[in-house]
């Protein structure tokens, strides 16, 4: 295990770098097409929402197909090819470009996410390291797409490198790692549907607070990248710390610490950034806990997380909702997030893998 874990974290870090490239490329496409084709503001907003729905809400459905295929390398490569195609399509058709970007992004997330879920079954660290850099890519794509610069060669070059990595990096045969005796839903999990509902609710609330909290901060590039960096750090370290100290304890403490910084930060980017670092640190454990409920369907499990994420983000696109943002409302929502993540993790009491330490990481006590 001592040699395997560092190798798994290295693979997760490589896939995390590609994750940042994919997110930067697709988000740049989505925000650039409006300027290239002089798309009206309402239609441009619809394209952004449509991309989010395809890229995130569509993942559970595409995830089932990816799990049935089983070859995650092929899923990753197809996702990268569609992402590359979207760079050229944005000069042809805004709709076609956004669809290609959305599907490409979704397929890459599902393939790479399934790999990171299964390279160390029952551990949160690899998934956190993979997902974290995507926040940086998202920030880069927003900044570049809104800047008015139409310069695609850096993204095209980066995607070529990503395709080479996907083609030649050593990946585990994830479809052979799944427990052949397990059902669609693990029978080893106590109250699986209750746990799933609680965990997805916690992801929904985390996304809602994360997007709403950002809106109160100054709209400056340094703020965008600063808070993105804090969220990335939280996601990457959260899984590592939780594997060592216990998922429930780590997640609960992190959210309690995050509450005053976010709820009472009053738009101060430094305070909100600290809060986001702690708040986003629960991402890896909730993702892996859901994957434990669906041991034979890692891509589908990853997609469920993304579905809950986009559902939490969508309300923040409705401007009148911002009138409810404030210390009291954020405190209530974060309090609910603490309750749902703690109760959700508590219901997931056994790892579907043969690894006997899976339960220990969940319930480890001081």
């Amino acid at each position: 295990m001592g040699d395997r874990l560092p190798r798994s974290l290295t693979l997760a870090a490589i896939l995390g770098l590609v994750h940042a490239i994919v997110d930067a490329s697709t988000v740049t496409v989505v925000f650039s097409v409006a300027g290239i084709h002089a798309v009206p503001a309402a239609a441009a907003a619809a394209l952004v929402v449509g991309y989010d729905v395809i890229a995130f809400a569509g993942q559970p459905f595409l995830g089932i197909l990816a799990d049935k295929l089983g070859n995650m390398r092929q899923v990753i490569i197809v996702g990268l090819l569609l992402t590359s195609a979207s760079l050229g399509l944005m000069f042809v058709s805004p709709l076609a470009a956004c669809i290609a970007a959305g599907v490409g992004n979704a397929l890459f997330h599902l393939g790479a996410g399934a790999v990171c879920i299964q390279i160390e079954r029952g551990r949160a660290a690899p998934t956190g390291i993979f997902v974290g850099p995507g926040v940086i890519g998202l920030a880069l794509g927003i900044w570049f797409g809104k800047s008015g610069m139409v310069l695609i060669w850096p993204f095209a070059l980066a995607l070529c490198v990503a395709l080479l990595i996907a083609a030649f990096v050593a990946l585990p045969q994830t479809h052979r790692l799944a427990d052949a005796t397990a059902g669609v839903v693990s029978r080893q999990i106590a109250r699986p549907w209750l746990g799933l509902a609680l965990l997805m609710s916690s992801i929904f609330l985390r996304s809602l607070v994360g997007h709403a909290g950002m809106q109160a901060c100054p709209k400056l590039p340094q703020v965008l990248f600063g808070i993105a960096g804090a969220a990335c750090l939280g996601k990457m370290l959260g899984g590592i710390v939780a594997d060592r100290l216990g998922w429930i304890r780590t997640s609960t403490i992190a959210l309690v610490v995050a509450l005053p910084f976010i709820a009472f930060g009053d738009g101060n980017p430094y305070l909100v950034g600290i809060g986001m670092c702690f708040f986003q640190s629960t991402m890896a454990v909730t993702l892996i806990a859901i994957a434990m409920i669906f041991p034979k369907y890692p891509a589908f499990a990853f997609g469920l997380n993304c579905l809950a994420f986009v559902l939490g983000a969508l309300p923040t696109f409705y401007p009148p909702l911002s009138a409810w943002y404030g210390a009291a409302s954020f405190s209530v929502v974060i309090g609910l997030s603490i309750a749902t993540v703690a109760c959700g993790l508590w219901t997931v009491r056994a790892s579907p893998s043969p690894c006997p330490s899976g339960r220990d990481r969940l319930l480890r006590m001081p």
Side-chain angles (χ1 to χ4, degrees):
M1 180 66 71
D3 292 332
R4 284 173 55 209
L5 185 57
R7 286 202 296 269
S8 71
L9 297 186
T10 300
L11 175 58
I14 293 171
L15 292 175
L17 175 62
V18 179
H19 183 188
I21 293 171
V22 170
D23 279 4
S25 301
T26 55
V27 174
T28 296
V29 168
V30 173
F31 282 98
S32 295
V33 292
I36 294 174
H37 296 275
V39 176
L47 286 173
V48 173
V49 174
Y51 163 80
D52 284 336
V53 170
I54 294 172
F56 296 100
Q59 284 195 33
F61 309 102
L62 292 172
I64 294 175
L65 297 177
D67 287 322
K68 290 294 185 182
L69 175 64
N71 190 325
M72 295 304 166
R73 186 189 302 276
Q74 293 180 2
V75 175
I76 292 171
I77 290 175
V78 172
L80 291 173
L81 288 173
L82 284 173
T83 300
S84 302
S86 70
L87 292 173
L89 286 172
M90 71 178 179
F91 298 101
V92 179
S93 166
L95 181 60
C98 289
I99 292 174
V103 177
N105 187 294
L107 289 176
F108 170 78
H109 275 82
L110 293 167
V115 169
C116 291
I117 285 172
Q118 294 202 352
I119 50 178
E120 285 292 338
R121 295 296 297 269
R123 287 187 179 270
T127 305
I129 290 174
F130 162 66
V131 174
V135 187
I136 303 297
L138 175 64
L140 180 62
I142 292 173
W143 173 77
F144 200 92
K146 290 185 174 182
S147 69
M149 295 184 291
V150 182
L151 191 65
I152 67 169
W153 71 263
F155 300 102
L157 180 61
L159 286 169
C160 287
V161 174
L163 279 165
L164 290 175
I165 292 173
F168 295 106
V169 71
L171 296 179
Q173 295 296 316
T174 54
H175 60 296
R176 294 179 182 172
L177 289 177
D179 182 2
T181 64
V184 176
V185 178
S186 174
R187 301 306 178 189
Q188 296 175 285
I189 305 299
R191 305 178 186 88
W193 302 116
L194 173 61
L196 179 63
L198 289 168
L199 291 169
M200 291 191 68
S201 296
S202 74
I203 298 167
F204 172 90
L205 294 170
R206 184 175 69 230
S207 177
L208 177 64
V209 172
H211 286 85
M214 275 288 295
Q215 292 187 9
C217 295
K219 304 300 187 291
L220 299 171
Q222 57 267 36
V223 173
L224 173 65
F225 285 105
I227 294 181
C232 173
L233 182 64
K235 290 183 178 185
M236 295 182 73
L237 292 181
I240 297 173
V241 175
D243 282 342
R244 291 181 176 273
L245 302 182
W247 292 2
I248 295 175
R249 179 173 57 169
T250 301
S251 299
T252 303
I253 292 174
L255 292 178
V256 169
V257 172
L259 193 154
F261 289 101
I262 296 176
F264 302 98
D266 196 26
N268 183 305
Y270 297 102
L271 297 179
V272 173
I274 294 172
M276 288 297 175
C277 181
F278 284 97
F279 197 67
Q280 296 294 336
S281 65
T282 64
M283 181 282 309
V285 296
T286 53
L287 199 160
I288 292 297
I290 290 178
M292 289 167 64
I293 298 174
F294 298 94
K296 289 185 67 177
Y297 293 83
F300 172 68
F302 191 95
L304 287 177
N305 285 265
C306 293
L307 172 61
F309 172 83
V310 76
L311 290 177
L314 287 177
T316 64
F317 294 164
Y318 183 60
L321 185 66
S322 61
W324 295 92
Y325 299 166
S329 58
F330 282 152
S331 297
V332 170
V333 174
I334 296 174
L336 288 173
S337 182
I338 294 171
T340 53
V341 74
C343 294
L345 291 174
W346 188 263
T347 63
V348 183
R349 294 176 180 169
S351 170
S353 73
C355 177
S357 60
R359 184 176 188 273
D360 294 339
R361 283 189 290 275
L362 251 174
L363 303 179
R364 187 171 295 153
M365 300 301 290

